[in-house]
Amino acid sequence: MHYRTRSHTVFQTLNYAFLALLSLSCIFPFIHILAVSFSSKEASTAGLVGLLPVHFTLKSYQFILDKPEFGHAFVVSLKRVAIGLSLNMLLTLLTAYPLSKEVKSFRFRTGYAWFCVFTILFSGGLMPWYVTIRNYGIMDTIWALVLPGAVPVFNVILLLNFFRGLPKELEESSFIDGAGHWTTLWKIYTPLSLPALATITLFTVVDHWNSWFDGLILMRHAEHFPLSTYLQTIIVNVDLTKLNSVSPSTAEMLANVSDRTAKAAQICVAILPVLLVYPFLQKYFVTGIVLGSVKE
Amino acid sequence: MAKRNWRLAALSGAIVLMLAATACGKGDTQGSSASKESASAAPSATATSSQETKQEDGPLTKYDPPIEVSTIYWDSAPFKFKDGESLDNNVWTQEYENTLGIKLKTAWSFFGSLDQYIQKMNVAIGGGDLPDFMQVLPAQYKQMAAAGQLEDLTPYYEKYASDLTKDILNQDGGVQLKASYVGGKLLGIPHIGSTIDGTPLLWVRSDWLKKLNLPEPKTIDDLITIADAFVNKDPDGNSKADTYGLGVSNELYGGGPGLEGFFNAFHAYPGGMWIKDSSGKLAYGAVQPEMKTALGKLQEMYKKGLIDQEFGTKDSGKIQEQLVSGKLGMFFGQMWTPLWFGDGKKNDPKMDFQAYALPTTDGQPVFKQSGFPTGMYWVVKKGAAHPEAVFKLMNVSEEKGYGKTADATKYMTDNGIEFFKYAPILVEPPRKNLNNHLLVTEALNSKDTSKLNSEQKSIYDTIVKYQGGDSSGWGYDRVFGPTGAFSVIDQYVKNNEVLVTEYTAAPTESMGKYQSTLDKMEKETVTKIIMGAASLDAFDQFVANWKKAGGDTITKEVDDWAATK
């Protein structure tokens, strides 16, 4: 058997070793953060924590529970994902379907497609973006976070190509049975595209959960910040060289800012939801659903 | 089939409804913001109607009917509140409303780093999205002034600033207030900072000094002896060579740790300082020949292993780590640093630090540098309905905070909740911290606390508790206590040894263009020389490059500015 040769064994060993190292290097920082979150403040400030907690304590998780800002931000983020996800998925489906058609059944298809692609290549820049959103009057509301990116063009293109890969015959037979475009989209295309839709859902959820810059600029009140914006504000290091003279109360604040345990605990809690979503979507990552549906 | 079509229609109907709902959501907020606009437009109408009573208008005159003033709150960490209080309803907003008839409105609030605030502020300035008054940075102040976005406060300052407000703004001799004028107009109120709080001190682990029988650091040679012992004589007694001599971070300068103090000992003044040279002209501190001598000493120390061999990759956070874990025993830093690494005392109860005046090299007096302390300006948006309101707010803040009717437990801090942060405009007197030290020390000697205000009383209590064995008050004792940092700063002030930068205006045009490049150049050269990667003579090359790469242009602009002062 060809895979029993020595060179093959060597390759396999090296390959596995390399991949194992790669995944370890991805997971180590996370374990470290987890360990810090369960350690005492003094130990972590002194840099004593490695991969295991030092002076095990749940204090920092207690601290999160007592912190109203974290709870507020968590709720905002959940809201953002819920609204953003439904809006994005709906509009992605509705945009991808017509754009996946041939020019002969949808004459302006190419024009529309380029119109969408253009927005991936060029953006208006920070100020026009800000002024546009302000003029719509949605600043400081949840809509400022979900409406500007309501049509994720990249996802549209993904889905569009997936639609095009589906056998034409399925669509034709659905038309012969008397279905219109609506029925075809919802009853034929959508169920057949579950793997693609799962991927896009994952992209969208992670994207909404992680984006922080729009929250930072568009939200006027700290209690409207989504979680990642809030985390961003507590995690960024204070640059001591920029502080000319520090009052004692600021200095104590600095000591707390360097409180890595509380930060670590908040990061761990923030990762949880996305971590939980993954396994549930995994089962849709199965290809080959359309295999055997058409005999040619 | 008919049934199927019906369901289809229902589905499409639902989608249409959903889209309509989102559109409505937009419409709603638009509507409400429009109504807000008309609400904020209303006070300006009432202002004109109340103009007949204006002749008796003064620093504390109440608005009747009440007006609304919007502002921005910013701090590094979210405020804490008593139960039932919030940004829009707290002891300060009530005070303003009751005594002045001013309702404060939060245009926006932000709690995060300065860089993020700058980013948010820049976008708001660019979009013209400004509240009635707000805090901005010097560069933004200059930019807004040039763009005509600011109200001229000159006439209002004379008429509406109370005596106390004027006194506090002039406690530094009026230097910072004078520096705030742009083209003869006062376009912003400087957030007066202290020139003495930022002076460098030499912090040394006094328990190690005692243990190893070392002298106090009076000269640079003492400092080198101490550093050598800290590295080689195992001060922490664990038989491992894991301790460092002099703490240096890759940022080189700053409050903790910063090399300014070391350079000052050699009469060199880096870190953005402008000094008078022998001919009386202004010169940039970091390119003067004294720098070279100091750098030579640092290079020598590095070679002997008295400076962490990897300091080039370690930021101040790492230094904090070394201090907390008891590996570092000496660094130059500002007065607040013990509060920053106080956790070290919990890890090792034997740890103790003492602040010393900067050592000398030649017995001559050593001047301690202090950067320009105005970090922020309060500005009023051009076209604000009541530009004078900002002074009235400040009058009340200063009075309740530091005036005769001050009540610190009600307005400043109580039980760890800092009320003073809710005051949108408040300047602490520049000598406040030093006075706290002097009064607390006096009270500790006499046991008489009747002269202390509540802030001083809480420091007093913390120190008394520390002396009774509670180590959590260690940081406060090291800063304000009888032998704390301020006892040294008090000597600096008495000996007149504080040297404030001579350039006191917002950054000039070419500073905006070249300064960051020049700073990078300086940092690279200094780091390389200390690490021995470049010879000491590389400094001369650096000075020549500095001049060519924009330094000369900046110097000329600074000269021109000095001529018009």
Side-chain angles (χ1 to χ4, degrees), chain B residues 328-340:
Chain B
L328 178 61
M330 184 161 57
F331 67 96
F332 289 93
Q334 292 175 5
M335 54 87 189
W336 48 265
T337 40
L339 292 165
W340 172 61

Side-chain angles (χ1 to χ4, degrees), chain B residues 508-543:
Chain B
T508 67
E509 200 187 319
S510 50
M511 280 185 199
K513 242 191 257 167
Y514 307 122
Q515 191 74 51
S516 60
T517 322
L518 294 176
D519 286 348
K520 211 173 136 210
M521 229 162 87
E522 179 188 336
K523 209 167 129 177
E524 261 173 37
T525 312
V526 170
T527 310
K528 269 190 191 159
I529 292 179
I530 297 177
M531 298 182 87
S535 77
L536 195 50
D537 291 329
F539 182 77
D540 302 324
Q541 187 56 46
F542 156 69
V543 173

Side-chain angles (χ1 to χ4, degrees), chain A:
Chain A
M1 279 210 195
H2 71 282
Y3 52 83
R4 289 274 167 85
T5 62
R6 178 171 328 138
S7 64
H8 186 79
T9 323
V10 170
F11 170 77
Q12 284 290 4
T13 322
L14 285 180
N15 199 18
Y16 276 118
F18 172 73
L19 289 176
L21 274 177
L22 197 70
S23 14
L24 277 180
S25 71
C26 292
I27 209 163
F28 270 150
F30 182 70
I31 296 177
H32 172 68
I33 296 279
L34 203 63
V36 168
S37 76
F38 285 112
S39 299
S40 78
K41 177 167 169 270
E42 291 78 28
S44 85
T45 319
L48 302 173
V49 183
L51 293 178
L52 285 174
V54 179
H55 305 135
F56 183 87
T57 167
L58 290 172
K59 246 191 186 157
S60 33
Y61 287 92
Q62 178 68 37
F63 174 76
I64 299 184
L65 289 181
D66 293 344
K67 229 177 145 80
E69 293 84 15
F70 187 85
H72 281 308
F74 203 92
V75 173
V76 172
S77 269
L78 287 181
K79 237 162 97 183
R80 173 179 188 162
V81 170
I83 300 176
L85 180 64
S86 23
L87 208 60
N88 283 3
M89 292 313 285
L90 179 74
L91 293 178
T92 307
L93 273 169
L94 291 182
T95 320
Y97 179 77
L99 291 184
S100 69
K101 297 291 162 213
E102 297 294 325
V103 178
K104 57 176 189 260
S105 48
F106 181 19
R107 197 140 63 90
F108 303 109
R109 184 202 160 268
T110 319
Y112 277 110
W114 277 109
F115 178 76
C116 290
V117 170
F118 187 81
T119 62
I120 297 188
L121 302 176
F122 303 98
S123 83
L126 181 63
M127 283 319 298
W129 170 70
Y130 174 85
V131 172
T132 307
I133 290 163
R134 191 196 56 197
N135 289 350
Y136 274 115
I138 53 174
M139 286 278 285
D140 206 27
T141 66
I142 191 84
W143 302 110
L145 303 180
V146 294
L147 285 185
V151 183
V153 178
F154 182 72
N155 292 353
V156 168
I157 291 172
L158 272 188
L159 194 62
L160 177 163
N161 284 322
F162 195 89
F163 281 171
R164 294 195 141 189
L166 294 175
K168 269 240 156 46
E169 293 79 358
L170 291 177
E171 188 198 68
E172 282 164 6
S173 63
S174 126
F175 282 149
I176 289 169
D177 281 347
H181 281 294
W182 275 112
T183 319
T184 314
L185 170 58
W186 297 118
K187 291 282 168 66
I188 308 288
Y189 275 71
T190 309
L192 286 179
S193 324
L194 281 182
L197 290 176
T199 314
I200 293 174
T201 306
L202 208 59
F203 283 166
T204 312
V205 170
V206 173
D207 211 41
H208 274 298
W209 193 260
N210 284 351
S211 54
W212 59 274
F213 186 75
D214 49 357
L216 179 73
I217 300 293
L218 300 176
M219 291 296 157
R220 287 186 171 135
H221 296 275
E223 62 268 27
H224 295 161
F225 281 174
L227 194 56
S228 22
T229 308
Y230 166 71
L231 288 179
Q232 193 72 21
T233 63
I234 60 161
I235 279 154
V236 167
N237 278 325
V238 177
D239 187 354
L240 292 181
T241 51
K242 288 221 179 96
L243 299 169
N244 215 337
S245 68
V246 175
S247 73
S249 77
T250 322
E252 282 198 298
M253 188 280 296
L254 285 178
N256 288 328
V257 162
S258 63
D259 182 355
R260 291 164 211 185
T261 57
K263 287 178 194 170
Q266 299 187 56
I267 293 172
C268 289
V269 176
I271 296 171
L272 269 183
V274 174
L275 221 53
L276 289 179
V277 170
Y278 265 92
F280 288 105
L281 288 177
Q282 203 120 44
K283 68 171 177 184
Y284 293 106
F285 294 126
V286 221
T287 45
I289 286 175
V290 289
L291 274 186
S293 61
V294 181
K295 286 264 182 282
E296 278 177 271

Side-chain angles (χ1 to χ4, degrees), chain B residues 258-271:
Chain B
L259 280 174
E260 289 95 333
F262 189 90
F263 284 108
N264 289 177
F266 290 82
H267 313 293
Y269 306 95

